[in-house]
mmCIF file of all heavy atoms in Angstrom:
data_model
loop_
_atom_site.group_PDB
_atom_site.id
_atom_site.type_symbol
_atom_site.label_atom_id
_atom_site.label_comp_id
_atom_site.label_asym_id
_atom_site.label_seq_id
_atom_site.Cartn_x
_atom_site.Cartn_y
_atom_site.Cartn_z
ATOM 1 N N ALA A 383 2.698 -10.167 -26.841
ATOM 2 C CA ALA A 383 3.587 -9.102 -26.369
ATOM 3 C C ALA A 383 3.412 -8.799 -24.896
ATOM 4 O O ALA A 383 4.302 -8.205 -24.278
ATOM 5 C CB ALA A 383 3.337 -7.845 -27.195
ATOM 6 N N ILE A 384 2.269 -9.171 -24.343
ATOM 7 C CA ILE A 384 2.040 -8.880 -22.917
ATOM 8 C C ILE A 384 3.090 -9.555 -22.036
ATOM 9 O O ILE A 384 3.388 -9.093 -20.937
ATOM 10 C CB ILE A 384 0.614 -9.332 -22.505
ATOM 11 C CG1 ILE A 384 0.264 -8.776 -21.133
ATOM 12 C CG2 ILE A 384 0.497 -10.843 -22.531
ATOM 13 C CD1 ILE A 384 -1.170 -9.015 -20.739
ATOM 14 N N THR A 385 3.687 -10.636 -22.517
ATOM 15 C CA THR A 385 4.695 -11.347 -21.723
ATOM 16 C C THR A 385 6.072 -10.699 -21.846
ATOM 17 O O THR A 385 6.981 -11.068 -21.092
ATOM 18 C CB THR A 385 4.798 -12.815 -22.153
ATOM 19 O OG1 THR A 385 5.178 -12.873 -23.531
ATOM 20 C CG2 THR A 385 3.474 -13.532 -21.978
ATOM 21 N N LEU A 386 6.220 -9.763 -22.767
ATOM 22 C CA LEU A 386 7.543 -9.127 -22.940
ATOM 23 C C LEU A 386 8.006 -8.478 -21.635
ATOM 24 O O LEU A 386 9.135 -8.684 -21.182
ATOM 25 C CB LEU A 386 7.484 -8.090 -24.053
ATOM 26 C CG LEU A 386 7.381 -8.621 -25.488
ATOM 27 C CD1 LEU A 386 7.132 -7.481 -26.463
ATOM 28 C CD2 LEU A 386 8.664 -9.374 -25.870
ATOM 29 N N LEU A 387 7.143 -7.652 -21.055
ATOM 30 C CA LEU A 387 7.508 -6.961 -19.817
ATOM 31 C C LEU A 387 7.325 -7.845 -18.597
ATOM 32 O O LEU A 387 8.045 -7.694 -17.612
ATOM 33 C CB LEU A 387 6.687 -5.676 -19.672
ATOM 34 C CG LEU A 387 6.922 -4.605 -20.742
ATOM 35 C CD1 LEU A 387 6.112 -3.358 -20.428
ATOM 36 C CD2 LEU A 387 8.392 -4.248 -20.866
ATOM 37 N N ARG A 388 6.379 -8.771 -18.653
ATOM 38 C CA ARG A 388 6.184 -9.667 -17.513
ATOM 39 C C ARG A 388 7.430 -10.504 -17.251
ATOM 40 O O ARG A 388 7.735 -10.824 -16.106
ATOM 41 C CB ARG A 388 5.011 -10.604 -17.776
ATOM 42 C CG ARG A 388 3.637 -9.994 -17.605
ATOM 43 C CD ARG A 388 2.568 -11.016 -17.897
ATOM 44 N NE ARG A 388 1.221 -10.469 -17.735
ATOM 45 C CZ ARG A 388 0.121 -11.120 -18.068
ATOM 46 N NH1 ARG A 388 0.206 -12.337 -18.580
ATOM 47 N NH2 ARG A 388 -1.060 -10.558 -17.895
ATOM 48 N N ASN A 389 8.118 -10.866 -18.316
ATOM 49 C CA ASN A 389 9.301 -11.719 -18.170
ATOM 50 C C ASN A 389 10.599 -10.955 -18.375
ATOM 51 O O ASN A 389 11.623 -11.549 -18.701
ATOM 52 C CB ASN A 389 9.228 -12.880 -19.173
ATOM 53 C CG ASN A 389 8.048 -13.790 -18.906
ATOM 54 O OD1 ASN A 389 7.666 -13.985 -17.757
ATOM 55 N ND2 ASN A 389 7.452 -14.329 -19.969
ATOM 56 N N ASP A 390 10.530 -9.648 -18.199
ATOM 57 C CA ASP A 390 11.725 -8.829 -18.389
ATOM 58 C C ASP A 390 12.311 -8.448 -17.025
ATOM 59 O O ASP A 390 11.693 -7.689 -16.269
ATOM 60 C CB ASP A 390 11.360 -7.554 -19.160
ATOM 61 C CG ASP A 390 12.566 -6.635 -19.311
ATOM 62 O OD1 ASP A 390 13.689 -7.162 -19.468
ATOM 63 O OD2 ASP A 390 12.377 -5.403 -19.263
ATOM 64 N N PRO A 391 13.502 -8.945 -16.687
ATOM 65 C CA PRO A 391 14.104 -8.595 -15.385
ATOM 66 C C PRO A 391 14.295 -7.097 -15.200
ATOM 67 O O PRO A 391 14.140 -6.588 -14.086
ATOM 68 C CB PRO A 391 15.451 -9.331 -15.426
ATOM 69 C CG PRO A 391 15.255 -10.446 -16.389
ATOM 70 C CD PRO A 391 14.331 -9.909 -17.438
ATOM 71 N N LEU A 392 14.618 -6.383 -16.263
ATOM 72 C CA LEU A 392 14.854 -4.946 -16.137
ATOM 73 C C LEU A 392 13.569 -4.187 -15.796
ATOM 74 O O LEU A 392 13.613 -3.092 -15.234
ATOM 75 C CB LEU A 392 15.455 -4.390 -17.443
ATOM 76 C CG LEU A 392 15.909 -2.938 -17.409
ATOM 77 C CD1 LEU A 392 16.928 -2.700 -16.323
ATOM 78 C CD2 LEU A 392 16.454 -2.516 -18.780
ATOM 79 N N THR A 393 12.418 -4.746 -16.146
ATOM 80 C CA THR A 393 11.141 -4.127 -15.804
ATOM 81 C C THR A 393 10.632 -4.611 -14.444
ATOM 82 O O THR A 393 10.202 -3.807 -13.611
ATOM 83 C CB THR A 393 10.088 -4.448 -16.892
ATOM 84 O OG1 THR A 393 10.564 -3.973 -18.145
ATOM 85 C CG2 THR A 393 8.759 -3.790 -16.563
ATOM 86 N N GLN A 394 10.652 -5.915 -14.236
ATOM 87 C CA GLN A 394 10.069 -6.474 -13.018
ATOM 88 C C GLN A 394 11.002 -6.361 -11.811
ATOM 89 O O GLN A 394 10.536 -6.196 -10.680
ATOM 90 C CB GLN A 394 9.712 -7.958 -13.248
ATOM 91 C CG GLN A 394 8.728 -8.167 -14.385
ATOM 92 C CD GLN A 394 7.427 -7.410 -14.186
ATOM 93 O OE1 GLN A 394 6.977 -7.205 -13.062
ATOM 94 N NE2 GLN A 394 6.825 -6.954 -15.280
ATOM 95 N N GLY A 395 12.317 -6.473 -12.035
ATOM 96 C CA GLY A 395 13.259 -6.436 -10.924
ATOM 97 C C GLY A 395 13.149 -5.185 -10.059
ATOM 98 O O GLY A 395 12.987 -5.281 -8.826
ATOM 99 N N PRO A 396 13.199 -3.986 -10.663
ATOM 100 C CA PRO A 396 13.086 -2.778 -9.836
ATOM 101 C C PRO A 396 11.763 -2.685 -9.094
ATOM 102 O O PRO A 396 11.716 -2.170 -7.970
ATOM 103 C CB PRO A 396 13.223 -1.657 -10.878
ATOM 104 C CG PRO A 396 13.997 -2.258 -12.003
ATOM 105 C CD PRO A 396 13.565 -3.685 -12.058
ATOM 106 N N LYS A 397 10.672 -3.164 -9.698
ATOM 107 C CA LYS A 397 9.380 -3.119 -8.999
ATOM 108 C C LYS A 397 9.407 -4.015 -7.763
ATOM 109 O O LYS A 397 8.935 -3.639 -6.690
ATOM 110 C CB LYS A 397 8.270 -3.587 -9.947
ATOM 111 C CG LYS A 397 8.013 -2.660 -11.118
ATOM 112 C CD LYS A 397 6.925 -3.226 -12.011
ATOM 113 C CE LYS A 397 6.727 -2.346 -13.233
ATOM 114 N NZ LYS A 397 5.729 -2.923 -14.176
ATOM 115 N N LEU A 398 9.939 -5.218 -7.930
ATOM 116 C CA LEU A 398 10.031 -6.134 -6.786
ATOM 117 C C LEU A 398 10.949 -5.573 -5.720
ATOM 118 O O LEU A 398 10.674 -5.689 -4.520
ATOM 119 C CB LEU A 398 10.537 -7.497 -7.272
ATOM 120 C CG LEU A 398 9.565 -8.265 -8.180
ATOM 121 C CD1 LEU A 398 10.287 -9.390 -8.898
ATOM 122 C CD2 LEU A 398 8.401 -8.806 -7.358
ATOM 123 N N PHE A 399 12.032 -4.950 -6.161
ATOM 124 C CA PHE A 399 12.982 -4.357 -5.218
ATOM 125 C C PHE A 399 12.303 -3.277 -4.381
ATOM 126 O O PHE A 399 12.491 -3.193 -3.156
ATOM 127 C CB PHE A 399 14.171 -3.777 -5.981
ATOM 128 C CG PHE A 399 15.185 -3.120 -5.113
ATOM 129 C CD1 PHE A 399 16.046 -3.881 -4.332
ATOM 130 C CD2 PHE A 399 15.289 -1.732 -5.053
ATOM 131 C CE1 PHE A 399 16.985 -3.270 -3.516
ATOM 132 C CE2 PHE A 399 16.225 -1.122 -4.243
ATOM 133 C CZ PHE A 399 17.077 -1.892 -3.469
ATOM 134 N N ARG A 400 11.492 -2.444 -5.052
ATOM 135 C CA ARG A 400 10.780 -1.380 -4.333
ATOM 136 C C ARG A 400 9.768 -1.948 -3.346
ATOM 137 O O ARG A 400 9.571 -1.401 -2.262
ATOM 138 C CB ARG A 400 10.052 -0.486 -5.331
ATOM 139 C CG ARG A 400 10.926 0.587 -5.946
ATOM 140 C CD ARG A 400 10.119 1.472 -6.870
ATOM 141 N NE ARG A 400 10.900 2.615 -7.296
ATOM 142 C CZ ARG A 400 10.959 3.757 -6.636
ATOM 143 N NH1 ARG A 400 10.269 3.893 -5.528
ATOM 144 N NH2 ARG A 400 11.691 4.762 -7.061
ATOM 145 N N ASN A 401 9.137 -3.031 -3.715
ATOM 146 C CA ASN A 401 8.082 -3.589 -2.861
ATOM 147 C C ASN A 401 8.620 -4.394 -1.693
ATOM 148 O O ASN A 401 8.002 -4.430 -0.621
ATOM 149 C CB ASN A 401 7.147 -4.475 -3.699
ATOM 150 C CG ASN A 401 6.294 -3.668 -4.650
ATOM 151 O OD1 ASN A 401 6.029 -2.494 -4.412
ATOM 152 N ND2 ASN A 401 5.862 -4.281 -5.732
ATOM 153 N N TYR A 402 9.750 -5.079 -1.878
ATOM 154 C CA TYR A 402 10.183 -6.046 -0.873
ATOM 155 C C TYR A 402 11.535 -5.728 -0.228
ATOM 156 O O TYR A 402 11.846 -6.280 0.818
ATOM 157 C CB TYR A 402 10.247 -7.447 -1.491
ATOM 158 C CG TYR A 402 8.894 -7.991 -1.885
ATOM 159 C CD1 TYR A 402 8.412 -7.839 -3.186
ATOM 160 C CD2 TYR A 402 8.074 -8.627 -0.969
ATOM 161 C CE1 TYR A 402 7.171 -8.324 -3.563
ATOM 162 C CE2 TYR A 402 6.832 -9.126 -1.324
ATOM 163 C CZ TYR A 402 6.381 -8.968 -2.623
ATOM 164 O OH TYR A 402 5.148 -9.447 -2.976
ATOM 165 N N CYS A 403 12.349 -4.904 -0.861
ATOM 166 C CA CYS A 403 13.739 -4.776 -0.389
ATOM 167 C C CYS A 403 14.118 -3.382 0.069
ATOM 168 O O CYS A 403 15.025 -3.222 0.904
ATOM 169 C CB CYS A 403 14.701 -5.190 -1.509
ATOM 170 S SG CYS A 403 14.283 -6.737 -2.339
ATOM 171 N N ILE A 404 13.474 -2.370 -0.498
ATOM 172 C CA ILE A 404 14.017 -1.026 -0.390
ATOM 173 C C ILE A 404 13.945 -0.463 1.035
ATOM 174 O O ILE A 404 14.750 0.398 1.404
ATOM 175 C CB ILE A 404 13.287 -0.089 -1.375
ATOM 176 C CG1 ILE A 404 14.173 1.104 -1.723
ATOM 177 C CG2 ILE A 404 11.948 0.368 -0.818
ATOM 178 C CD1 ILE A 404 13.691 1.906 -2.888
ATOM 179 N N ASP A 405 13.008 -0.909 1.845
ATOM 180 C CA ASP A 405 12.914 -0.381 3.200
ATOM 181 C C ASP A 405 14.153 -0.714 4.028
ATOM 182 O O ASP A 405 14.544 0.046 4.912
ATOM 183 C CB ASP A 405 11.655 -0.918 3.895
ATOM 184 C CG ASP A 405 10.400 -0.238 3.382
ATOM 185 O OD1 ASP A 405 10.520 0.849 2.806
ATOM 186 O OD2 ASP A 405 9.304 -0.819 3.544
ATOM 187 N N CYS A 406 14.725 -1.869 3.793
ATOM 188 C CA CYS A 406 15.950 -2.255 4.519
ATOM 189 C C CYS A 406 17.192 -1.787 3.775
ATOM 190 O O CYS A 406 18.106 -1.220 4.351
ATOM 191 C CB CYS A 406 15.984 -3.768 4.717
ATOM 192 S SG CYS A 406 14.713 -4.392 5.843
ATOM 193 N N HIS A 407 17.231 -2.055 2.471
ATOM 194 C CA HIS A 407 18.397 -1.691 1.644
ATOM 195 C C HIS A 407 18.143 -0.321 1.022
ATOM 196 O O HIS A 407 17.922 -0.202 -0.180
ATOM 197 C CB HIS A 407 18.618 -2.742 0.558
ATOM 198 C CG HIS A 407 18.892 -4.111 1.096
ATOM 199 N ND1 HIS A 407 20.148 -4.505 1.512
ATOM 200 C CD2 HIS A 407 18.082 -5.185 1.298
ATOM 201 C CE1 HIS A 407 20.102 -5.760 1.938
ATOM 202 N NE2 HIS A 407 18.862 -6.200 1.817
#
Side-chain angles (χ1 to χ4, degrees):
I384 192 172
T385 60
L386 288 172
L387 296 183
R388 283 180 180 172
N389 296 326
D390 177 35
L392 187 57
T393 302
Q394 301 302 328
K397 293 179 184 176
L398 292 165
F399 179 74
R400 277 183 171 271
N401 289 335
Y402 293 95
C403 313
I404 204 167
D405 285 340
C406 292
H407 299 278

